[in-house]
Amino acid sequence: MSIELRQVSKQFGDVRAVEDVSFTVQEGELVALLGPSGGGKTTVLRMIAGLETPTGGDLFIRGQRVNDVSVQQRNIGFVFQGYALFKTMTVHENIAFGLKIKKWKRADIAARVQELLKLFGLDGLGSRYPHQLSGGQRQRVAIARALAPKPSVLLLDEPFGAVDAKIRQELREWLVRLHHDLNVTTIFVTHDQEEALEVSNRIVIFSRGRLEQIGTPREVYEKPSNEFVARFIGVLNVLELKVQDGQSRLGELSFPAHGVPEGNTLRIGFRPYAVQISANLGEYRYRGTLKHIFFLGVLLRLELETPSGLTLRARIIKEEFNRLGISEGDEISFQIREYRVLSREGDALTQETSVAQLVSLAEGI
Amino acid sequence: MAGSAASRLTRTTRSQRGTEELPWVRRVLIGIAVAFASLFLVLPLANVFLQAFSKGVAHYFGALADPDTQSAVLLTLTIALIAVPLNVFFGVVAAWLISKFDFTGKALLLTLIDLPFSVSPVVSGLIYIVLFGLQGYFGEWLLDHNLKIIFAIPGITLATMFVTFPFVARELIPIMQAQGSDQEEAALTLGASGWQTFFKVTLPSVKWGLIYGVILCNARAMGEFGAVSVVSGHITGQTDTLPLRVDKLYHEYNQAAAFSVASVLALLALVTLGIKTWLEHRQTADFARAQSDPSAE
């Protein structure tokens, strides 16, 4: 079932929570709404559900305009951030709630609840109350309750926010499998870029109420449409260079001028994985010192410092690191395999930056 | 009295260690507390029952069987039966408005709900005399239409309702505010109408708080003296409630009868206390269960 937003806006008093957002979700997709908090993603989700009314634009579900259709009639399943289980009801009663409201036959309700308990690994927990469940179990009950009346779309607000790291990983994998098995159109909100990249078919990125980019995880990671997206999805080294003698320079680093006139500035960005390192000082064009090594499991994050004092972030896999046989404080040589031009002087984005040549906003790998 | 469920709960779960006093200090403090409670609470209460039975069991039940006393019991029950359900209704509506919606004048409404607590009951009664009494704003109009409010059941009911208004709302507001509207929104997304949401989700989740509020409201409705005294007119056998009846019997130097009737009110208070303690115990048990369940995170 397709969902379409056309120039949808939402204003709370003087605050523009969502501005002019348009995108389409196709039948059976698993889409992530990603952005920093206050980005407007939860408001978009709540508008799709009918819990908020857009102040502008049109919202279509399956081709039908639903701006004025009540939440009860939209046939959606909604999973709340804190799960919002009915605490005075058992697991069984929670899951059966929507079916009773829709006046299903008693036998059908019992069968459907049993089916869901089994599917969600909640066998034998039907008579428990929400406070007797673990965080992961509560979340599964919340999803089972939302799915019980067979909604045409499943909406989840920060579904993995309230559980610890290990369970979160399990739940992510479980959600992907569940989506694969049920094939129900699913939209979830997250502020965790890693989660969005791992779980979804497509990612819609928001910042300050505006849609920044929509694309597959690979697209938004490899071809970010602007600096915000590039920085938000993964780590980005950002350099601001001055063009001199036909080259843009910063310290010992130099790049082509990319058509920027003499004396003006150029901003470029590159991913940590684009930095290639060698223990052989003669192998690559730049020299640097290995300042810090952060062990992240299969990957390692390295911090390099060039002789002129620039700090860069690099990332290599463990095998590569072992092969290099380097340790903190060692001299190395490096090169930058690929980079992107972020902005040229005169573009709106260009800012004056003096000493801080490296800016890395997003934390992570 | 109007403390939220949460504050009652923390009292029982808070750790005592580190703040413990020396044994003798503790004993002295406990001794003072016990002596104080005995002198001012237990002794007078025991005295009520002693005095009530001072002329024997027969006299005790005789005093209760007196037609005027019977009429006072009936009137008190009638007033409570009207005032409590109405205040439950208004209290729930007010609590729901305040905890689930944002609107201008919300602070004013909260203050108004507290007004009966801060105003002397005598003033509460006088308000209605000024409004509906013979010399009051609506006095003549009421007389013309042959309606009696002051010195009649409607007046007593109004005064009682005014005095007992805050109990239900005050008990529900903190509970409802703590719960937010997530559960209600979940019910809506599952297709429930506003009414279904209210009766199946909102009301059950505040059940204990509501019962607690009703019990306090009822105890006060049956026990109110000041406001009722002003508007009742003290017509024996007609507009005397139980507390007024006790007062009247006492002033008629019928001490044993006065204490017999008073013992009924005292019993009512004891039953209320018992139910209140049981409810608090239930809430605490629910809370403790939620906290200590091994399968929970």
Side-chain angles (χ1 to χ4, degrees):
Chain A
M1 88 150 269
S2 65
I3 294 165
E4 190 185 350
L5 279 78
R6 279 189 210 155
Q7 273 131 31
V8 168
S9 300
K10 175 73 186 179
Q11 197 145 352
F12 294 106
D14 294 334
V15 183
R16 290 183 169 190
V18 176
E19 266 188 280
D20 229 6
V21 166
S22 304
F23 66 91
T24 307
V25 175
Q26 297 302 330
E27 177 103 35
E29 268 194 297
L30 175 51
V31 170
L33 307 183
L34 174 68
S37 55
K41 52 200 192 309
T42 294
T43 310
V44 168
L45 194 78
R46 288 172 62 86
M47 284 194 285
I48 296 172
L51 291 168
E52 305 281 359
T53 320
T55 42
D58 298 305
L59 220 148
F60 296 87
I61 297 181
R62 223 174 242 163
Q64 187 206 351
R65 188 177 178 276
V66 294
N67 285 45
D68 308 315
V69 175
S70 73
V71 51
Q72 289 96 338
Q73 286 161 348
R74 287 198 194 181
N75 195 27
I76 49 101
F78 200 103
V79 178
F80 291 81
Q81 194 171 358
Y83 313 143
L85 294 177
F86 305 131
K87 57 176 195 164
T88 57
M89 300 183 203
T90 62
V91 169
H92 190 288
E93 288 165 338
N94 263 282
I95 299 174
F97 185 87
L99 307 176
K100 278 188 193 150
I101 294 290
K102 294 199 166 67
K103 298 205 161 44
W104 279 36
K105 288 205 192 77
R106 193 181 291 255
D108 293 344
I109 294 177
R112 176 72 175 151
V113 174
Q114 280 314 314
E115 180 193 342
L116 286 163
L117 286 175
K118 201 160 182 270
L119 179 68
F120 284 71
L122 296 164
D123 281 312
L125 299 178
S127 55
R128 294 252 189 122
Y129 283 90
H131 69 77
Q132 296 170 311
L133 302 174
S134 70
Q137 288 169 337
R138 275 179 217 171
Q139 201 212 24
R140 277 178 280 158
V141 174
I143 299 180
R145 181 179 69 178
L147 285 174
K150 304 191 173 167
S152 48
V153 55
L154 180 64
L155 307 171
L156 305 102
D157 188 6
E158 295 275 5
F160 312 116
V163 287
D164 61 51
K166 192 171 176 298
I167 297 170
R168 196 179 312 158
Q169 186 56 38
E170 285 172 21
L171 284 169
R172 281 185 201 172
E173 288 162 14
W174 174 77
L175 182 68
V176 172
R177 259 183 317 203
L178 181 81
H179 176 260
H180 184 264
D181 293 346
L182 302 179
N183 204 33
V184 57
T185 310
T186 305
I187 304 177
F188 73 100
V189 158
T190 179
H191 63 270
D192 183 341
Q193 36 113 352
E194 226 181 292
E195 196 167 282
L197 290 172
E198 182 182 328
V199 175
S200 61
N201 304 143
R202 281 203 301 155
I203 301 178
V204 186
I205 299 167
F206 290 93
S207 138
R208 283 182 248 152
R210 292 182 171 279
L211 194 154
E212 298 285 348
Q213 188 173 4
I214 177 161
T216 63
R218 201 169 169 160
E219 278 166 8
V220 297
Y221 189 75
E222 291 179 351
K223 299 193 186 82
S225 63
N226 57 42
E227 189 176 333
F228 171 81
V229 175
R231 284 177 160 183
F232 194 71
I233 304 283
V235 175
L236 191 70
N237 290 298
V238 178
L239 301 175
E240 190 153 311
L241 311 114
K242 263 272 191 284
V243 175
Q244 281 169 350
D245 312 324
Q247 287 274 306
S248 60
R249 295 175 199 280
L250 177 69
E252 47 279 281
L253 304 182
S254 73
F255 295 85
H258 289 285
V260 173
E262 204 72 5
N264 288 10
T265 57
L266 168 76
R267 278 157 72 82
I268 66 145
F270 52 93
R271 299 283 189 202
Y273 69 75
V275 179
Q276 276 182 304
I277 292 171
S278 172
N280 177 355
L281 296 181
E283 183 159 2
Y284 298 127
R285 54 187 284 218
Y286 303 122
R287 291 281 185 88
T289 313
L290 201 52
K291 294 297 280 186
H292 293 290
I293 298 170
F294 300 96
F295 181 71
L296 304 169
V298 186
L299 292 165
L300 291 104
R301 198 177 77 207
L302 310 176
E303 233 174 71
L304 312 177
E305 199 180 274
T306 67
S308 65
L310 278 171
T311 307
L312 302 176
R313 280 185 182 179
R315 197 185 69 180
I316 59 175
I317 58 170
K318 204 173 71 189
E319 285 76 13
E320 174 77 2
F321 180 77
N322 291 341
R323 197 181 57 74
L324 290 171
I326 48 176
S327 56
E328 273 182 21
D330 284 1
E331 287 274 312
I332 48 102
S333 72
F334 70 93
Q335 68 170 359
I336 294 154
R337 207 172 49 206
E338 59 181 69
Y339 64 91
R340 298 171 54 80
V341 174
L342 298 175
S343 63
R344 299 172 176 88
E345 186 163 299
D347 290 0
L349 274 171
T350 308
Q351 305 154 357
E352 288 283 336
T353 37
S354 49
V355 199
Q357 285 91 357
L358 167 87
V359 197
S360 262
L361 281 190
E363 287 302 319
I365 300 166
Chain B
M1 172 177 53
S4 68
S7 73
R8 257 178 269 128
L9 296 174
T10 48
R11 200 179 307 150
T12 53
T13 51
R14 192 191 303 141
S15 167
Q16 301 281 307
R17 288 194 194 97
T19 55
E20 269 179 31
E21 302 293 341
L22 291 169
W24 70 268
V25 177
R26 231 183 323 157
R27 257 175 253 137
V28 168
L29 286 174
I30 292 171
I32 293 172
V34 168
F36 188 85
S38 310
L39 194 65
F40 290 99
L41 297 173
V42 180
L43 218 64
L45 192 64
N47 191 43
V48 169
F49 288 95
L50 273 175
Q51 294 282 343
F53 288 101
S54 61
K55 289 189 179 170
V57 178
H59 190 274
Y60 176 83
F61 285 106
L64 293 186
D66 178 83
D68 290 342
T69 302
Q70 293 273 306
S71 130
V73 170
L74 193 70
L75 180 63
T76 298
L77 289 176
T78 311
I79 301 291
L81 223 59
I82 301 169
V84 173
L86 281 173
N87 267 346
V88 168
F89 175 75
F90 291 132
V92 169
V93 170
W96 192 62
L97 271 177
I98 283 169
S99 55
K100 310 277 174 186
F101 299 98
D102 273 319
F103 53 92
T104 43
K106 190 163 154 175
L108 185 73
L109 181 59
L110 261 172
T111 314
L112 279 178
I113 288 174
D114 278 343
L115 187 69
F117 275 157
S118 51
V119 167
S120 160
V122 177
V123 177
S124 312
L126 281 173
I127 293 168
Y128 292 102
I129 301 275
V130 170
L131 281 177
F132 305 120
L134 258 184
Q135 267 75 50
Y137 296 121
F138 303 109
E140 242 170 274
W141 185 87
L142 289 168
L143 197 68
D144 291 346
H145 292 77
N146 208 16
L147 293 170
K148 248 181 113 59
I149 291 185
I150 299 304
F151 305 150
I153 293 180
I156 303 172
T157 312
L158 281 173
T160 306
M161 278 181 65
F162 182 86
V163 173
T164 58
F165 181 71
F167 288 97
V168 173
R170 266 285 147 207
E171 198 57 42
L172 290 184
I173 289 167
I175 302 176
M176 284 188 170
Q177 274 175 338
Q179 281 177 355
S181 357
D182 271 12
Q183 291 185 60
E184 278 85 356
E185 283 191 338
L188 295 179
T189 64
L190 290 165
S193 68
W195 284 113
Q196 284 173 319
T197 303
F198 181 76
F199 284 108
K200 288 176 193 249
V201 176
T202 311
L203 217 49
S205 66
V206 298
K207 183 176 60 180
W208 296 117
L210 182 63
I211 296 174
Y212 188 77
V214 168
I215 285 174
L216 288 181
C217 181
N218 183 59
R220 184 67 192 269
M222 290 190 170
E224 176 56 26
F225 179 83
V228 170
S229 170
V230 176
V231 294
S232 122
H234 303 269
I235 307 164
T236 304
Q238 282 183 37
T239 63
D240 266 351
T241 61
L242 270 179
L244 299 185
R245 181 76 189 145
V246 173
D247 185 56
K248 193 173 271 178
L249 285 170
Y250 184 77
H251 285 296
E252 288 167 357
Y253 302 103
N254 197 345
Q255 270 214 28
F259 278 106
S260 301
V261 182
S263 74
V264 175
L265 279 172
L267 261 178
L268 178 79
L270 287 175
V271 169
T272 304
L273 263 178
I275 299 174
K276 177 175 159 283
T277 313
W278 176 72
L279 278 178
E280 279 175 2
H281 180 73
R282 278 218 55 150
Q283 277 182 329
T284 318
D286 273 1
F287 185 78
R289 206 148 24 103
Q291 295 296 300
S292 67
D293 197 281
S295 66
E297 329 151 80

